[in-house]
mmCIF file of all heavy atoms in Angstrom:
data_model
loop_
_atom_site.group_PDB
_atom_site.id
_atom_site.type_symbol
_atom_site.label_atom_id
_atom_site.label_comp_id
_atom_site.label_asym_id
_atom_site.label_seq_id
_atom_site.Cartn_x
_atom_site.Cartn_y
_atom_site.Cartn_z
ATOM 1 N N PRO A 21 123.457 -22.259 -20.587
ATOM 2 C CA PRO A 21 122.882 -21.483 -19.484
ATOM 3 C C PRO A 21 121.373 -21.700 -19.385
ATOM 4 O O PRO A 21 120.641 -21.341 -20.306
ATOM 5 C CB PRO A 21 123.228 -20.027 -19.847
ATOM 6 C CG PRO A 21 124.327 -20.113 -20.848
ATOM 7 C CD PRO A 21 124.128 -21.420 -21.568
ATOM 8 N N ASN A 22 120.951 -22.361 -18.292
ATOM 9 C CA ASN A 22 119.536 -22.680 -18.038
ATOM 10 C C ASN A 22 118.868 -23.406 -19.211
ATOM 11 O O ASN A 22 117.709 -23.196 -19.511
ATOM 12 C CB ASN A 22 118.740 -21.417 -17.682
ATOM 13 C CG ASN A 22 119.129 -20.927 -16.295
ATOM 14 O OD1 ASN A 22 119.528 -21.714 -15.435
ATOM 15 N ND2 ASN A 22 119.028 -19.637 -16.082
ATOM 16 N N LYS A 23 119.636 -24.277 -19.881
ATOM 17 C CA LYS A 23 119.107 -25.053 -21.010
ATOM 18 C C LYS A 23 119.350 -26.531 -20.731
ATOM 19 O O LYS A 23 120.489 -26.966 -20.559
ATOM 20 C CB LYS A 23 119.803 -24.630 -22.293
ATOM 21 C CG LYS A 23 119.018 -25.042 -23.510
ATOM 22 C CD LYS A 23 119.557 -24.407 -24.774
ATOM 23 C CE LYS A 23 118.686 -24.916 -25.916
ATOM 24 N NZ LYS A 23 119.297 -25.168 -27.122
ATOM 25 N N CYS A 24 118.236 -27.287 -20.646
ATOM 26 C CA CYS A 24 118.330 -28.718 -20.340
ATOM 27 C C CYS A 24 118.101 -29.553 -21.588
ATOM 28 O O CYS A 24 117.294 -29.214 -22.431
ATOM 29 C CB CYS A 24 117.253 -29.114 -19.323
ATOM 30 S SG CYS A 24 117.483 -28.382 -17.703
ATOM 31 N N LYS A 25 118.831 -30.681 -21.656
ATOM 32 C CA LYS A 25 118.575 -31.685 -22.694
ATOM 33 C C LYS A 25 118.008 -32.883 -21.949
ATOM 34 O O LYS A 25 118.690 -33.477 -21.110
ATOM 35 C CB LYS A 25 119.872 -32.041 -23.416
ATOM 36 C CG LYS A 25 119.649 -33.037 -24.540
ATOM 37 C CD LYS A 25 120.973 -33.359 -25.233
ATOM 38 C CE LYS A 25 120.731 -34.384 -26.326
ATOM 39 N NZ LYS A 25 121.679 -35.481 -26.262
ATOM 40 N N CYS A 26 116.723 -33.185 -22.207
ATOM 41 C CA CYS A 26 116.033 -34.222 -21.440
ATOM 42 C C CYS A 26 116.410 -35.623 -21.891
ATOM 43 O O CYS A 26 116.649 -35.865 -23.069
ATOM 44 C CB CYS A 26 114.525 -34.049 -21.555
ATOM 45 S SG CYS A 26 113.944 -32.452 -20.936
ATOM 46 N N PHE A 27 116.442 -36.543 -20.923
ATOM 47 C CA PHE A 27 116.620 -37.952 -21.242
ATOM 48 C C PHE A 27 115.356 -38.418 -21.965
ATOM 49 O O PHE A 27 114.288 -37.825 -21.772
ATOM 50 C CB PHE A 27 116.820 -38.779 -19.966
ATOM 51 C CG PHE A 27 118.049 -38.425 -19.182
ATOM 52 C CD1 PHE A 27 118.014 -38.407 -17.790
ATOM 53 C CD2 PHE A 27 119.248 -38.104 -19.812
ATOM 54 C CE1 PHE A 27 119.137 -38.072 -17.053
ATOM 55 C CE2 PHE A 27 120.376 -37.773 -19.078
ATOM 56 C CZ PHE A 27 120.329 -37.754 -17.700
ATOM 57 N N PRO A 28 115.451 -39.487 -22.783
ATOM 58 C CA PRO A 28 114.248 -39.963 -23.480
ATOM 59 C C PRO A 28 113.117 -40.258 -22.493
ATOM 60 O O PRO A 28 113.353 -40.814 -21.419
ATOM 61 C CB PRO A 28 114.707 -41.254 -24.165
ATOM 62 C CG PRO A 28 116.190 -41.141 -24.258
ATOM 63 C CD PRO A 28 116.616 -40.306 -23.087
ATOM 64 N N GLY A 29 111.920 -39.829 -22.839
ATOM 65 C CA GLY A 29 110.760 -40.096 -21.983
ATOM 66 C C GLY A 29 110.414 -38.960 -21.049
ATOM 67 O O GLY A 29 109.444 -39.049 -20.303
ATOM 68 N N PHE A 30 111.217 -37.858 -21.081
ATOM 69 C CA PHE A 30 110.951 -36.727 -20.192
ATOM 70 C C PHE A 30 110.921 -35.423 -20.970
ATOM 71 O O PHE A 30 111.503 -35.309 -22.037
ATOM 72 C CB PHE A 30 111.992 -36.657 -19.063
ATOM 73 C CG PHE A 30 111.909 -37.823 -18.135
ATOM 74 C CD1 PHE A 30 112.740 -38.919 -18.304
ATOM 75 C CD2 PHE A 30 110.966 -37.849 -17.125
ATOM 76 C CE1 PHE A 30 112.633 -40.019 -17.466
ATOM 77 C CE2 PHE A 30 110.861 -38.942 -16.284
ATOM 78 C CZ PHE A 30 111.685 -40.027 -16.453
ATOM 79 N N THR A 31 110.216 -34.434 -20.407
ATOM 80 C CA THR A 31 110.055 -33.155 -21.091
ATOM 81 C C THR A 31 109.956 -32.031 -20.060
ATOM 82 O O THR A 31 109.990 -32.285 -18.856
ATOM 83 C CB THR A 31 108.798 -33.203 -22.004
ATOM 84 O OG1 THR A 31 108.718 -31.983 -22.738
ATOM 85 C CG2 THR A 31 107.515 -33.379 -21.202
ATOM 86 N N GLY A 32 109.813 -30.807 -20.526
ATOM 87 C CA GLY A 32 109.701 -29.644 -19.640
ATOM 88 C C GLY A 32 111.005 -28.878 -19.569
ATOM 89 O O GLY A 32 112.062 -29.392 -19.931
ATOM 90 N N LYS A 33 110.929 -27.629 -19.087
ATOM 91 C CA LYS A 33 112.103 -26.754 -19.012
ATOM 92 C C LYS A 33 113.202 -27.347 -18.140
ATOM 93 O O LYS A 33 114.383 -27.218 -18.425
ATOM 94 C CB LYS A 33 111.655 -25.392 -18.465
ATOM 95 C CG LYS A 33 112.591 -24.250 -18.848
ATOM 96 C CD LYS A 33 111.988 -22.914 -18.484
ATOM 97 C CE LYS A 33 113.023 -21.822 -18.343
ATOM 98 N NZ LYS A 33 113.607 -21.347 -19.566
ATOM 99 N N THR A 34 112.798 -28.031 -17.055
ATOM 100 C CA THR A 34 113.797 -28.647 -16.166
ATOM 101 C C THR A 34 113.754 -30.171 -16.264
ATOM 102 O O THR A 34 114.266 -30.860 -15.396
ATOM 103 C CB THR A 34 113.567 -28.202 -14.704
ATOM 104 O OG1 THR A 34 112.253 -28.605 -14.311
ATOM 105 C CG2 THR A 34 113.715 -26.710 -14.521
ATOM 106 N N CYS A 35 113.136 -30.692 -17.317
ATOM 107 C CA CYS A 35 113.025 -32.139 -17.558
ATOM 108 C C CYS A 35 112.411 -32.874 -16.373
ATOM 109 O O CYS A 35 112.795 -33.988 -16.046
ATOM 110 C CB CYS A 35 114.396 -32.754 -17.879
ATOM 111 S SG CYS A 35 115.177 -32.031 -19.322
ATOM 112 N N ASN A 36 111.444 -32.231 -15.716
ATOM 113 C CA ASN A 36 110.841 -32.833 -14.522
ATOM 114 C C ASN A 36 109.494 -33.477 -14.826
ATOM 115 O O ASN A 36 108.865 -34.027 -13.948
ATOM 116 C CB ASN A 36 110.690 -31.787 -13.406
ATOM 117 C CG ASN A 36 109.739 -30.668 -13.794
ATOM 118 O OD1 ASN A 36 109.491 -30.429 -14.976
ATOM 119 N ND2 ASN A 36 109.201 -29.975 -12.822
ATOM 120 N N GLN A 37 109.055 -33.384 -16.089
ATOM 121 C CA GLN A 37 107.744 -33.943 -16.437
ATOM 122 C C GLN A 37 107.898 -35.194 -17.287
ATOM 123 O O GLN A 37 108.754 -35.250 -18.166
ATOM 124 C CB GLN A 37 106.924 -32.919 -17.242
ATOM 125 C CG GLN A 37 106.560 -31.686 -16.457
ATOM 126 C CD GLN A 37 106.180 -30.527 -17.378
ATOM 127 O OE1 GLN A 37 106.196 -30.652 -18.594
ATOM 128 N NE2 GLN A 37 105.860 -29.398 -16.786
ATOM 129 N N ASP A 38 107.045 -36.162 -17.000
ATOM 130 C CA ASP A 38 107.020 -37.393 -17.786
ATOM 131 C C ASP A 38 106.391 -37.083 -19.141
ATOM 132 O O ASP A 38 105.372 -36.411 -19.217
ATOM 133 C CB ASP A 38 106.192 -38.443 -17.032
ATOM 134 C CG ASP A 38 105.915 -39.661 -17.877
ATOM 135 O OD1 ASP A 38 106.887 -40.272 -18.342
ATOM 136 O OD2 ASP A 38 104.736 -39.993 -18.090
ATOM 137 N N LEU A 39 107.015 -37.564 -20.214
ATOM 138 C CA LEU A 39 106.473 -37.369 -21.560
ATOM 139 C C LEU A 39 105.448 -38.474 -21.818
ATOM 140 O O LEU A 39 105.747 -39.646 -21.625
ATOM 141 C CB LEU A 39 107.603 -37.450 -22.597
ATOM 142 C CG LEU A 39 107.210 -37.401 -24.074
ATOM 143 C CD1 LEU A 39 106.698 -36.031 -24.461
ATOM 144 C CD2 LEU A 39 108.396 -37.771 -24.945
ATOM 145 N N ASN A 40 104.247 -38.098 -22.219
ATOM 146 C CA ASN A 40 103.227 -39.100 -22.522
ATOM 147 C C ASN A 40 103.395 -39.547 -23.978
ATOM 148 O O ASN A 40 102.843 -38.946 -24.889
ATOM 149 C CB ASN A 40 101.828 -38.529 -22.283
ATOM 150 C CG ASN A 40 100.741 -39.557 -22.556
ATOM 151 O OD1 ASN A 40 101.023 -40.703 -22.900
ATOM 152 N ND2 ASN A 40 99.495 -39.147 -22.407
ATOM 153 N N GLU A 41 104.201 -40.618 -24.154
ATOM 154 C CA GLU A 41 104.489 -41.101 -25.510
ATOM 155 C C GLU A 41 103.229 -41.574 -26.223
ATOM 156 O O GLU A 41 103.169 -41.584 -27.454
ATOM 157 C CB GLU A 41 105.490 -42.273 -25.472
ATOM 158 C CG GLU A 41 106.884 -41.907 -25.025
ATOM 159 C CD GLU A 41 107.073 -41.966 -23.516
ATOM 160 O OE1 GLU A 41 106.069 -42.133 -22.761
ATOM 161 O OE2 GLU A 41 108.212 -41.844 -23.070
ATOM 162 N N CYS A 42 102.206 -41.980 -25.452
ATOM 163 C CA CYS A 42 100.966 -42.487 -26.047
ATOM 164 C C CYS A 42 100.234 -41.391 -26.816
ATOM 165 O O CYS A 42 99.430 -41.679 -27.693
ATOM 166 C CB CYS A 42 100.064 -43.073 -24.961
ATOM 167 S SG CYS A 42 100.826 -44.484 -24.129
ATOM 168 N N GLY A 43 100.505 -40.130 -26.503
ATOM 169 C CA GLY A 43 99.850 -39.009 -27.177
ATOM 170 C C GLY A 43 100.620 -38.503 -28.384
ATOM 171 O O GLY A 43 100.183 -37.574 -29.060
ATOM 172 N N LEU A 44 101.793 -39.095 -28.667
ATOM 173 C CA LEU A 44 102.616 -38.629 -29.786
ATOM 174 C C LEU A 44 102.033 -39.072 -31.128
ATOM 175 O O LEU A 44 101.322 -40.061 -31.214
ATOM 176 C CB LEU A 44 104.055 -39.176 -29.664
ATOM 177 C CG LEU A 44 104.888 -38.730 -28.464
ATOM 178 C CD1 LEU A 44 106.216 -39.460 -28.458
ATOM 179 C CD2 LEU A 44 105.142 -37.227 -28.494
ATOM 180 N N LYS A 45 102.354 -38.304 -32.167
ATOM 181 C CA LYS A 45 101.995 -38.676 -33.543
ATOM 182 C C LYS A 45 103.297 -38.928 -34.286
ATOM 183 O O LYS A 45 104.191 -38.100 -34.205
ATOM 184 C CB LYS A 45 101.235 -37.519 -34.224
ATOM 185 C CG LYS A 45 99.916 -37.170 -33.543
ATOM 186 C CD LYS A 45 98.751 -37.932 -34.151
ATOM 187 C CE LYS A 45 97.408 -37.476 -33.648
ATOM 188 N NZ LYS A 45 96.948 -37.980 -32.403
ATOM 189 N N PRO A 46 103.491 -40.010 -35.021
ATOM 190 C CA PRO A 46 102.596 -41.167 -35.073
ATOM 191 C C PRO A 46 102.582 -41.924 -33.735
ATOM 192 O O PRO A 46 103.561 -41.883 -32.997
ATOM 193 C CB PRO A 46 103.215 -42.030 -36.190
ATOM 194 C CG PRO A 46 104.665 -41.677 -36.177
ATOM 195 C CD PRO A 46 104.735 -40.224 -35.774
ATOM 196 N N ARG A 47 101.477 -42.594 -33.445
ATOM 197 C CA ARG A 47 101.352 -43.318 -32.186
ATOM 198 C C ARG A 47 102.372 -44.456 -32.132
ATOM 199 O O ARG A 47 102.571 -45.156 -33.112
ATOM 200 C CB ARG A 47 99.928 -43.866 -32.046
ATOM 201 C CG ARG A 47 98.916 -42.750 -31.830
ATOM 202 C CD ARG A 47 97.533 -43.262 -31.538
ATOM 203 N NE ARG A 47 97.524 -44.054 -30.307
ATOM 204 C CZ ARG A 47 96.926 -45.233 -30.192
ATOM 205 N NH1 ARG A 47 96.302 -45.761 -31.221
ATOM 206 N NH2 ARG A 47 96.943 -45.876 -29.058
ATOM 207 N N PRO A 48 103.018 -44.645 -30.972
ATOM 208 C CA PRO A 48 104.058 -45.682 -30.907
ATOM 209 C C PRO A 48 103.511 -47.112 -30.889
ATOM 210 O O PRO A 48 104.235 -48.049 -31.166
ATOM 211 C CB PRO A 48 104.783 -45.365 -29.595
ATOM 212 C CG PRO A 48 103.791 -44.631 -28.770
ATOM 213 C CD PRO A 48 102.887 -43.907 -29.710
ATOM 214 N N CYS A 49 102.229 -47.272 -30.565
ATOM 215 C CA CYS A 49 101.635 -48.611 -30.493
ATOM 216 C C CYS A 49 100.486 -48.720 -31.485
ATOM 217 O O CYS A 49 99.753 -47.760 -31.698
ATOM 218 C CB CYS A 49 101.094 -48.897 -29.094
ATOM 219 S SG CYS A 49 102.316 -48.700 -27.777
ATOM 220 N N GLU A 50 100.323 -49.914 -32.038
ATOM 221 C CA GLU A 50 99.257 -50.107 -33.026
ATOM 222 C C GLU A 50 97.878 -50.134 -32.373
ATOM 223 O O GLU A 50 96.944 -49.518 -32.866
ATOM 224 C CB GLU A 50 99.503 -51.407 -33.792
ATOM 225 C CG GLU A 50 98.569 -51.558 -34.973
ATOM 226 C CD GLU A 50 98.776 -52.852 -35.756
ATOM 227 O OE1 GLU A 50 99.660 -53.660 -35.387
ATOM 228 O OE2 GLU A 50 98.048 -53.046 -36.715
ATOM 229 N N HIS A 51 97.735 -50.842 -31.234
ATOM 230 C CA HIS A 51 96.427 -50.958 -30.598
ATOM 231 C C HIS A 51 96.325 -50.092 -29.351
ATOM 232 O O HIS A 51 95.825 -48.992 -29.405
ATOM 233 C CB HIS A 51 96.140 -52.423 -30.227
ATOM 234 C CG HIS A 51 95.724 -53.259 -31.397
ATOM 235 N ND1 HIS A 51 95.280 -54.540 -31.268
ATOM 236 C CD2 HIS A 51 95.695 -52.982 -32.735
ATOM 237 C CE1 HIS A 51 94.984 -55.033 -32.468
ATOM 238 N NE2 HIS A 51 95.243 -54.104 -33.366
ATOM 239 N N ARG A 52 96.827 -50.613 -28.241
ATOM 240 C CA ARG A 52 96.708 -49.879 -26.985
ATOM 241 C C ARG A 52 98.071 -49.493 -26.451
ATOM 242 O O ARG A 52 99.050 -50.204 -26.645
ATOM 243 C CB ARG A 52 95.981 -50.746 -25.947
ATOM 244 C CG ARG A 52 94.509 -50.884 -26.242
ATOM 245 C CD ARG A 52 93.868 -51.737 -25.196
ATOM 246 N NE ARG A 52 92.436 -51.824 -25.366
ATOM 247 C CZ ARG A 52 91.679 -52.722 -24.756
ATOM 248 N NH1 ARG A 52 92.219 -53.601 -23.954
ATOM 249 N NH2 ARG A 52 90.382 -52.750 -24.939
ATOM 250 N N CYS A 53 98.069 -48.375 -25.746
ATOM 251 C CA CYS A 53 99.326 -47.835 -25.219
ATOM 252 C C CYS A 53 99.124 -47.478 -23.750
ATOM 253 O O CYS A 53 98.094 -46.929 -23.377
ATOM 254 C CB CYS A 53 99.681 -46.587 -26.028
ATOM 255 S SG CYS A 53 101.219 -45.801 -25.549
ATOM 256 N N MET A 54 100.103 -47.829 -22.904
ATOM 257 C CA MET A 54 100.040 -47.434 -21.488
ATOM 258 C C MET A 54 101.272 -46.594 -21.171
ATOM 259 O O MET A 54 102.403 -47.060 -21.343
ATOM 260 C CB MET A 54 100.020 -48.680 -20.580
ATOM 261 C CG MET A 54 99.929 -48.315 -19.098
ATOM 262 S SD MET A 54 100.181 -49.751 -18.051
ATOM 263 C CE MET A 54 98.608 -49.822 -17.213
ATOM 264 N N ASN A 55 101.043 -45.358 -20.754
ATOM 265 C CA ASN A 55 102.156 -44.486 -20.399
ATOM 266 C C ASN A 55 102.715 -44.917 -19.052
ATOM 267 O O ASN A 55 101.983 -45.232 -18.138
ATOM 268 C CB ASN A 55 101.679 -43.026 -20.330
ATOM 269 C CG ASN A 55 102.831 -42.063 -20.123
ATOM 270 O OD1 ASN A 55 103.841 -42.139 -20.800
ATOM 271 N ND2 ASN A 55 102.690 -41.166 -19.173
ATOM 272 N N THR A 56 104.046 -44.970 -18.941
ATOM 273 C CA THR A 56 104.706 -45.285 -17.665
ATOM 274 C C THR A 56 105.702 -44.171 -17.379
ATOM 275 O O THR A 56 105.981 -43.342 -18.243
ATOM 276 C CB THR A 56 105.454 -46.640 -17.730
ATOM 277 O OG1 THR A 56 106.476 -46.547 -18.734
ATOM 278 C CG2 THR A 56 104.517 -47.797 -18.058
ATOM 279 N N HIS A 57 106.269 -44.145 -16.177
ATOM 280 C CA HIS A 57 107.217 -43.094 -15.794
ATOM 281 C C HIS A 57 108.473 -43.198 -16.661
ATOM 282 O O HIS A 57 109.225 -44.155 -16.546
ATOM 283 C CB HIS A 57 107.564 -43.246 -14.310
ATOM 284 C CG HIS A 57 108.417 -42.134 -13.784
ATOM 285 N ND1 HIS A 57 107.963 -40.837 -13.671
ATOM 286 C CD2 HIS A 57 109.700 -42.111 -13.346
ATOM 287 C CE1 HIS A 57 108.930 -40.088 -13.192
ATOM 288 N NE2 HIS A 57 109.989 -40.829 -12.985
ATOM 289 N N GLY A 58 108.642 -42.233 -17.572
ATOM 290 C CA GLY A 58 109.837 -42.190 -18.428
ATOM 291 C C GLY A 58 109.779 -43.122 -19.624
ATOM 292 O O GLY A 58 110.734 -43.220 -20.375
ATOM 293 N N SER A 59 108.659 -43.833 -19.803
ATOM 294 C CA SER A 59 108.578 -44.770 -20.909
ATOM 295 C C SER A 59 107.111 -45.062 -21.250
ATOM 296 O O SER A 59 106.227 -44.288 -20.900
ATOM 297 C CB SER A 59 109.319 -46.060 -20.540
ATOM 298 O OG SER A 59 109.413 -46.908 -21.667
ATOM 299 N N TYR A 60 106.860 -46.193 -21.925
ATOM 300 C CA TYR A 60 105.507 -46.614 -22.261
ATOM 301 C C TYR A 60 105.515 -48.102 -22.578
ATOM 302 O O TYR A 60 106.575 -48.688 -22.804
ATOM 303 C CB TYR A 60 104.966 -45.820 -23.457
ATOM 304 C CG TYR A 60 105.695 -46.102 -24.760
ATOM 305 C CD1 TYR A 60 105.188 -47.029 -25.677
ATOM 306 C CD2 TYR A 60 106.888 -45.459 -25.068
ATOM 307 C CE1 TYR A 60 105.864 -47.309 -26.854
ATOM 308 C CE2 TYR A 60 107.566 -45.729 -26.240
ATOM 309 C CZ TYR A 60 107.058 -46.654 -27.139
ATOM 310 O OH TYR A 60 107.730 -46.931 -28.302
ATOM 311 N N LYS A 61 104.331 -48.716 -22.600
ATOM 312 C CA LYS A 61 104.210 -50.134 -22.956
ATOM 313 C C LYS A 61 103.097 -50.267 -23.982
ATOM 314 O O LYS A 61 102.066 -49.603 -23.884
ATOM 315 C CB LYS A 61 103.819 -50.964 -21.726
ATOM 316 C CG LYS A 61 104.940 -51.092 -20.683
ATOM 317 C CD LYS A 61 105.767 -52.332 -20.905
ATOM 318 C CE LYS A 61 107.020 -52.332 -20.065
ATOM 319 N NZ LYS A 61 106.982 -53.069 -18.883
ATOM 320 N N CYS A 62 103.305 -51.153 -24.966
ATOM 321 C CA CYS A 62 102.271 -51.448 -25.951
ATOM 322 C C CYS A 62 101.585 -52.752 -25.568
ATOM 323 O O CYS A 62 102.234 -53.658 -25.050
ATOM 324 C CB CYS A 62 102.890 -51.647 -27.336
ATOM 325 S SG CYS A 62 103.692 -50.175 -28.007
ATOM 326 N N TYR A 63 100.301 -52.831 -25.819
ATOM 327 C CA TYR A 63 99.626 -54.120 -25.696
ATOM 328 C C TYR A 63 98.488 -54.171 -26.701
ATOM 329 O O TYR A 63 98.073 -53.155 -27.245
ATOM 330 C CB TYR A 63 99.184 -54.425 -24.260
ATOM 331 C CG TYR A 63 98.349 -53.391 -23.572
ATOM 332 C CD1 TYR A 63 96.970 -53.523 -23.485
ATOM 333 C CD2 TYR A 63 98.945 -52.287 -22.962
ATOM 334 C CE1 TYR A 63 96.203 -52.583 -22.823
ATOM 335 C CE2 TYR A 63 98.181 -51.343 -22.304
ATOM 336 C CZ TYR A 63 96.805 -51.495 -22.243
ATOM 337 O OH TYR A 63 96.049 -50.573 -21.604
ATOM 338 N N CYS A 64 98.024 -55.375 -26.980
ATOM 339 C CA CYS A 64 97.073 -55.588 -28.072
ATOM 340 C C CYS A 64 95.686 -55.914 -27.565
ATOM 341 O O CYS A 64 95.503 -56.356 -26.435
ATOM 342 C CB CYS A 64 97.559 -56.744 -28.946
ATOM 343 S SG CYS A 64 99.183 -56.421 -29.666
#
């Protein structure tokens, strides 16, 4: 009841917000990280 399980890369009560993976700890990329809609990209 009014409980959502978000797909990977999304967050919020209704899973309507993009999750900024670049801000997560531990960081997903060693050098630079670019957040994208529902995902992210690493580059050096």
